[in-house]
């Protein structure tokens, strides 16, 4: 660490890549693994990948398109399915579509009010320029996820946005299912900014391309928001953070990240663990709540 240097801020890569996963497929199979869920593997501006720059390319830190093809082929041979993480709510401000810093030849939404992508985002005051806020050229005048100006939020009710991600012949949803993925885990799918009918369209696009595609919702809520996702016309199942918290609470040697749940983040007794599993069964008897994906998230 140095006071004169910026911290890693999501750029401390540890070296893992698709080729490495490919090399360990036989070992994973020996453990009984039949599905691999990846966090975002598309070209992004950080190690976590939730600030996508190009949805059509594998992030170079993780490998190449050929690495993806080899991994997918070998996984198929072993009967292992691959689920991809879809971040369709927001993308990187440093992307061709937004281009806050002018790094790309295309005219991004942040560069001009006449950009073909301008209507994909919500902009406010433009008195200081097409992308600058009231505090000058380096302040933002657009909506970012949780206020982060590095990940501007997409307007999911825009037909052009839906065509790009869902309905187009070569939409992102369809492209990666064509390329061998067996399903999608959808980031922040419980967010209220997704309009009515969005997830029904997503389901139609995904199942139309691959009838057996598994569609997983990232849904944190413990209310009807989660249940609406699982009623059969949207997504197939959900990340089960209640199970995650119960297992970690039973096994962790100390406190842990509660992920925003008031009844989480601390050690629990075996009797409490059993009670929590019983509560999950009562609330969601038809949900696939014993998914290992929740433990790995």
């Amino acid at each position: 660490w140095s006071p004169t240097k910026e911290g890693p801020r999501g750029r401390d890569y540890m070296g893992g890549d698709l080729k490495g996963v490919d090399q360990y497929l036989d070992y994973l199979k020996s453990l009984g693994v039949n599905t691999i869920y990846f966090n975002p593997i598309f070209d992004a501006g950080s190690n976590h990948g939730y600030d996508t720059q190009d949805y059509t390319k594998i992030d170079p830190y993780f490998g190449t398109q050929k690495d993806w093809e080899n991994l997918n082929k070998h996984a198929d041979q072993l009967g292992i399915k691959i689920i991809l993480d879809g971040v369709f709510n927001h993308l990187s401000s440093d992307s061709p579509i937004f281009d806050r810093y002018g790094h790309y030849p295309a005219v991004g939404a942040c560069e001009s009010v006449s950009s073909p992508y301008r209507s994909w985002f919500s902009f406010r005051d433009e008195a200081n320029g097409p992308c600058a806020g009231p505090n000058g050229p380096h302040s933002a005048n657009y909506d970012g996820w949780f206020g982060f100006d590095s990940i501007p939020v997409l307007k999911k009710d825009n037909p052009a946005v839906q065509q790009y991600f869902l309905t187009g012949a070569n939409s992102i949803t369809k492209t990666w299912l064509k390329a061998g993925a067996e399903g999608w885990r959808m980031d922040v799918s419980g967010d209220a900014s997704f309009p009515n009918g969005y997830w029904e369209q997503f389901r139609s696009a995904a199942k139309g391309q691959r009838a057996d595609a598994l569609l997983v919702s990232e849904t944190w809520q413990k209310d009807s928001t989660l249940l609406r996702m699982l009623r059969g016309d949207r997504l197939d199942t959900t990340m089960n953070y209640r199970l995650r918290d119960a297992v970690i609470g039973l096994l962790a040697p100390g406190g842990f990240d509660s992920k925003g749940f008031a009844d989480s983040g601390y050690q629990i007794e075996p009797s409490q663990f059993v009670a929590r599993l019983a509560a999950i069964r009562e609330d969601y008897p038809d949900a696939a709540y014993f998914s290992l994906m929740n433990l790995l998230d």
Side-chain angles (χ1 to χ4, degrees), residues 170-232:
N170 296 309
S171 69
I172 300 305
T173 294
K174 297 174 184 178
T175 292
W176 288 99
L177 293 175
K178 291 177 187 177
E182 278 86 7
W184 286 99
R185 178 268 194 187
M186 301 311 297
D187 185 55
V188 300
S189 49
D191 192 81
S193 65
F194 285 97
N196 291 334
Y198 185 94
W199 293 115
E200 289 86 345
Q201 283 201 80
F202 169 71
R203 183 181 185 86
S204 177
K207 299 289 188 178
Q209 182 61 50
R210 188 183 183 110
D212 64 346
L214 178 64
L215 308 180
V216 184
S217 171
E218 183 207 6
T219 315
W220 293 86
Q221 296 88 341
K222 298 182 181 180
D223 55 21
S224 60
T225 303
L226 186 151
L227 293 176
R228 286 196 297 270
M229 280 293 176
L230 305 179
R231 65 188 182 188

Side-chain angles (χ1 to χ4, degrees), residues 270-289:
S271 59
Q272 293 173 286
F273 176 76
V274 172
R276 291 193 182 191
L277 293 191
I280 294 172
R281 292 191 185 99
E282 291 174 3
D283 290 344
Y284 313 118
D286 298 322
Y289 49 78

Side-chain angles (χ1 to χ4, degrees), residues 36 53 73 97 99 105 202 207 260:
I36 296 173
Q53 293 174 317
K73 179 179 68 176
I97 291 175
D99 206 8
F202 169 71
K207 299 289 188 178

Side-chain angles (χ1 to χ4, degrees), residues 20-37:
V21 177
D22 194 359
Q23 293 170 349
Y24 276 86
L25 284 178
D26 287 327
Y27 171 68
L28 293 174
K29 181 68 175 181
S30 74
L31 297 177
V33 171
N34 59 25
T35 305
I36 296 173
Y37 154 53

